[in-house]
Amino acid sequence: MTGGMSGLGDMDELYEAIILDHYRSPRNTAPVEEADVDLEVNNPFCGDEFHIQLKVEDDAVSQVGITGRGCAISQASASLLAELVEGKSSAEVRAAVDAVRRLLKGEEITDEEADILGDIEALGGVRKFPVRIKCALLSWVGLDDALKEHLAK
Amino acid sequence: MSNLDSNSGAGSRAFDIDAIRADFPILQRKVNGQDLVYLDNAASSQKPSQVIQSLVDYYEQTNSNVHRGVHTLSIEATDAYELARTKVAKFINAPRSEEVIWTRNTSESLNLVAATWAEANVGEGDNIVITAMEHHSNIVPWQQLAFKKGAELRYLSHNDDGVIDLDGASSVIDSRTKLVAATHMSNVLGTINPIAKLAELAHAVGAVILVDAAQSVPHMPVDVQALDADFLCFSAHKMLGPTGIGVLWGRYDLLDAMPPYMFGGDMILEVTYEDANWNDLPYKFEAGTPNIADAIATGAAVDYLSELGMDKVWQHEQELTAYAMEQVLSLGNVRVLGPQDPALRGGVISFIHESIHPHDLGTALDQQGIAIRTGHHCAMPLVRSFDVVAAARASFYIYNTKSEVDALVNGISETEGYFSR
Ligand SMILES: Cc1ncc(COP(=O)(O)O)c(C=O)c1O
């Protein structure tokens, strides 16, 4: 069955096909050996938790692994993140995190940023569901903190 | 638990669900284009027009400060405020209405006892016993007090069905126990705890028992004397009343011996430049201008429930809960936390769907006009003990119907359909 089921209202705006796809088949879930960045992020409010691992070589993310549990939005968001950061430089990752933050806050994003985000723009549907924004942000905020810490080393 | 001869039991009004629903204006509204199905009553109940009108009447006809004027409005406001206290006292069968202290909510009532009675009576090496199914409001004040005093915080355990282990309780509660603080009904599991038995164990070692009645007073007959309780706390907003007001009931002798909680106007008898002494109960614990309007409206809420009769309220919820358990479990992929026997629980059903996360379910049900609660329900350690981090919760009240339960179950099926497209 496709979207627009009777009585389920605006669900399709939140759960776009691409979101459901990442939720059902999350990308890059294999653990990373000897990760340079290894962190747990969680949202005690809803219990969602993710384990994010990165291997960073020559300032570029060469390998990423994310596992965890949470709602469809937080899981899809983590999977989209895992897909995006692979091969990116730390500056590019930071730019993407910034763009995601602004997308979810409902701020304008530039064409350039839209290019960086690609499929991730589908997360913008959460803006209509403000209580779910933190679900979408969880892994991004964690990644941001972890990278800052790694770069400071 | 049940107190059939208290004034709150029998009730004079027929339990006519259509007439009851007609009293609640909010039940007319649409949510996301659908009829509202409000199943988040354990968080806060809706209000009947009788309660809303009492607020309007107060502000339009009586508004004034209490206990401090000789003019007509002040006298009327004081009378109405004190009458509401008397109604609450009668509702819980308190021996004296001076034992009823107005607070902001259950949390403040608990904090008041922690900061006054427990501050004065719990010392190093003593222990405080609570259950492992408490709301954060009945955990954190005791944790903090235990840290401060060098006292021990102990937990009464429960089985997988969320039923307290009473045999174990008799070894947890010992000669160093000063306080047993237990929820009467769990806001997550629905479990109704054996308060009178815990009171017996507490009293046998000279300890005091405090009852968190936030989930019981709204839903079942509660008699502080039959429970043999020493303190009992609840919030008006969960029992048809307004937000911002709650109750601490305590035994007169205990309250009388306790130091004040806050200082200021109304709570003093006499002030000199050098010192002050305290007013009588209940005013010793009601510093400053109280929440007059909401206290009066709480009286209106108590009237509403008393007219229906708490026995009938409880019976209605028991029937609805038994039906809802059966229907929800018939989905086959849902686990219900807490007692599986509906007779052992109240109208709170926390459940976990095997594939849909509670937040996705909550959003999908909201799109269908159905309000449930999702998350840790302010009981993180408890929810985690079931090896989950969040649960969905449907909770009932007097205006809920079997067809609303059907809407919930149908809504869950629709959501399953949506996510398995
Ligand atoms: C069992 C229990 N205790 C305490 C509370 C706290 O009540 P309030 O938030 O009104 O202080 C609640 C309400 O959620 C509750 O369910």
Side-chain angles (χ1 to χ4, degrees):
Chain A
M1 211 179 299
T2 47
M5 277 183 62
S6 64
L8 285 184
D10 297 333
M11 283 284 279
D12 292 346
E13 290 181 41
L14 181 58
Y15 301 99
E16 282 202 35
I18 190 87
I19 301 285
L20 289 178
D21 179 48
H22 275 264
Y23 162 54
R24 293 198 187 104
S25 355
R27 321 294 201 264
N28 293 338
T29 56
V32 175
E33 303 282 325
E34 291 171 42
D36 298 302
V37 173
D38 194 312
L39 84 155
E40 306 272 351
V41 289
N42 70 83
N43 177 350
F45 175 77
C46 57
D48 292 358
E49 51 197 20
F50 290 93
H51 182 198
I52 304 179
Q53 293 178 303
L54 303 177
K55 201 149 187 61
V56 185
E57 284 168 298
D58 300 331
D59 193 48
V61 177
S62 60
Q63 227 187 319
V64 50
I66 301 189
T67 51
R69 54 180 180 176
C71 64
I73 300 302
S74 65
Q75 292 207 49
S77 182
S79 171
L80 284 160
L81 175 151
E83 202 176 52
L84 177 120
V85 298
E86 198 159 21
K88 294 278 193 298
S89 72
S90 57
E92 285 171 320
V93 172
R94 302 289 295 279
V97 171
D98 199 45
V100 168
R101 276 215 167 105
R102 298 201 299 108
L103 170 78
L104 298 183
K105 274 194 204 150
E107 290 170 18
E108 286 288 317
I109 55 168
T110 63
D111 290 347
E112 204 177 315
E113 284 174 324
D115 280 346
I116 301 177
L117 293 182
D119 283 350
I120 295 168
E121 255 197 282
L123 282 176
V126 301
R127 286 184 309 232
K128 263 191 108 166
F129 298 79
V131 293
R132 305 298 300 277
I133 289 177
K134 58 186 177 310
C135 310
L137 263 179
L138 177 62
S139 51
W140 297 89
V141 171
L143 175 72
D144 200 17
D145 291 346
L147 266 184
K148 269 185 209 149
E149 212 170 286
H150 179 70
L151 292 176
K153 272 188 206 159
Chain B
M1 154 205 80
S2 173
N3 166 45
L4 301 178
D5 34 17
S6 114
N7 291 300
S8 59
S12 55
R13 178 179 167 183
F15 201 96
D16 173 345
I17 192 86
D18 293 332
I20 290 170
R21 289 182 67 82
D23 287 334
F24 290 80
I26 208 167
L27 297 179
Q28 304 306 314
R29 76 159 278 187
K30 302 267 181 198
V31 169
N32 294 318
Q34 312 286 320
D35 289 336
L36 168 64
V37 174
Y38 186 76
L39 301 179
D40 193 17
N41 293 287
S44 201
S45 79
Q46 298 303 343
K47 325 299 174 198
S49 354
Q50 288 86 337
V51 167
I52 299 167
Q53 193 57 45
S54 85
L55 290 168
V56 174
D57 287 347
Y58 171 74
Y59 284 120
E60 287 186 354
Q61 302 294 331
T62 318
N63 180 53
S64 178
N65 212 328
V66 290
H67 304 137
R68 41 184 91 170
V70 292
H71 61 79
T72 301
L73 291 187
S74 178
I75 293 164
E76 286 181 9
T78 304
D79 286 350
Y81 177 72
E82 292 304 330
L83 178 62
R85 192 192 308 275
T86 310
K87 288 174 180 175
V88 167
K90 203 163 145 190
F91 192 63
I92 57 171
N93 200 26
R96 303 173 67 162
S97 65
E98 305 95 296
E99 295 171 336
V100 170
I101 291 153
W102 297 114
T103 61
R104 282 189 305 133
N105 47 37
T106 305
S107 303
E108 188 176 71
S109 301
L110 292 163
N111 276 278
L112 191 161
V113 177
T116 58
W117 182 87
E119 181 67 39
N121 289 283
V122 177
E124 194 174 339
D126 289 338
N127 66 67
I128 296 164
V129 176
I130 67 177
T131 80
M133 61 174 90
E134 298 305 317
H135 186 282
H136 296 160
S137 292
N138 199 28
I139 302 177
V140 185
W142 311 122
Q143 274 176 344
Q144 293 302 315
L145 186 90
F147 289 145
K148 186 169 160 192
K149 296 286 186 173
E152 187 191 347
L153 182 59
R154 297 182 174 177
Y155 290 88
L156 298 177
S157 58
H158 52 259
N159 67 13
D160 291 345
D161 264 7
V163 176
I164 291 255
D165 171 16
L166 266 181
D167 294 335
S170 48
S171 56
V172 178
I173 299 169
D174 66 14
S175 61
R176 294 305 300 269
T177 303
K178 292 291 179 204
L179 174 75
V180 176
T183 188
H184 197 178
M185 179 177 131
S186 162
N187 65 313
V188 177
L189 306 176
T191 312
I192 296 152
N193 283 321
I195 297 298
K197 294 211 178 84
L198 292 176
E200 212 178 296
L201 292 173
H203 293 151
V205 297
V208 152
I209 182 155
L210 176 150
V211 185
D212 175 350
Q215 296 295 346
S216 61
V217 166
H219 303 283
M220 64 175 82
V222 171
D223 176 337
V224 294
Q225 299 186 60
L227 291 173
D228 208 9
D230 297 304
F231 294 110
L232 184 123
C233 310
F234 54 98
S235 299
H237 70 93
K238 294 184 199 281
M239 51 183 288
L240 312 180
T243 54
I245 187 139
V247 169
L248 167 66
W249 169 84
R251 276 187 198 283
Y252 192 92
D253 54 329
L254 290 175
L255 293 173
D256 198 42
M258 276 151 59
Y261 180 46
M262 290 199 286
F263 302 94
D266 264 357
M267 59 75 64
I268 46 78
L269 206 56
E270 193 182 7
V271 181
T272 63
Y273 284 122
E274 290 74 33
D275 204 356
N277 54 26
W278 316 136
N279 203 341
D280 295 333
L281 291 175
Y283 311 113
K284 181 172 85 178
F285 292 107
E286 293 181 0
T289 299
N291 189 345
I292 306 163
D294 293 321
I296 294 169
T298 301
V302 165
D303 284 344
Y304 191 99
L305 289 169
S306 302
E307 276 165 28
L308 284 175
M310 290 309 289
D311 290 334
K312 284 184 275 178
V313 166
W314 180 235
Q315 193 192 337
H316 170 75
E317 290 180 32
Q318 286 271 280
E319 281 171 22
L320 208 53
T321 304
Y323 179 72
M325 291 273 291
E326 183 189 302
Q327 295 300 307
V328 169
L329 289 171
S330 75
L331 286 165
N333 45 13
V334 166
R335 172 161 73 111
V336 172
L337 303 182
Q340 301 299 301
D341 177 357
L344 301 178
R345 54 149 67 231
V348 161
I349 298 186
S350 293
F351 59 96
I352 292 151
H353 190 280
E354 72 183 21
S355 61
I356 306 172
H357 188 281
H359 279 164
D360 296 317
L361 185 60
T363 295
L365 291 174
D366 180 54
Q367 289 299 313
Q368 302 167 72
I370 304 167
I372 61 158
R373 174 80 191 269
T374 59
H376 55 58
H377 312 291
C378 299
M380 282 189 199
L382 173 66
V383 171
R384 283 198 194 121
S385 75
F386 287 93
D387 207 30
V388 290
V389 281
R393 179 184 75 187
S395 53
F396 309 117
Y397 212 7
I398 50 173
Y399 33 74
N400 290 125
T401 64
K402 286 188 177 165
S403 63
E404 288 181 312
V405 171
D406 294 341
L408 168 70
V409 173
N410 184 53
I412 300 172
S413 303
E414 290 265 326
T415 309
E416 285 169 1
Y418 184 87
F419 282 108
S420 56
R421 285 176 299 167

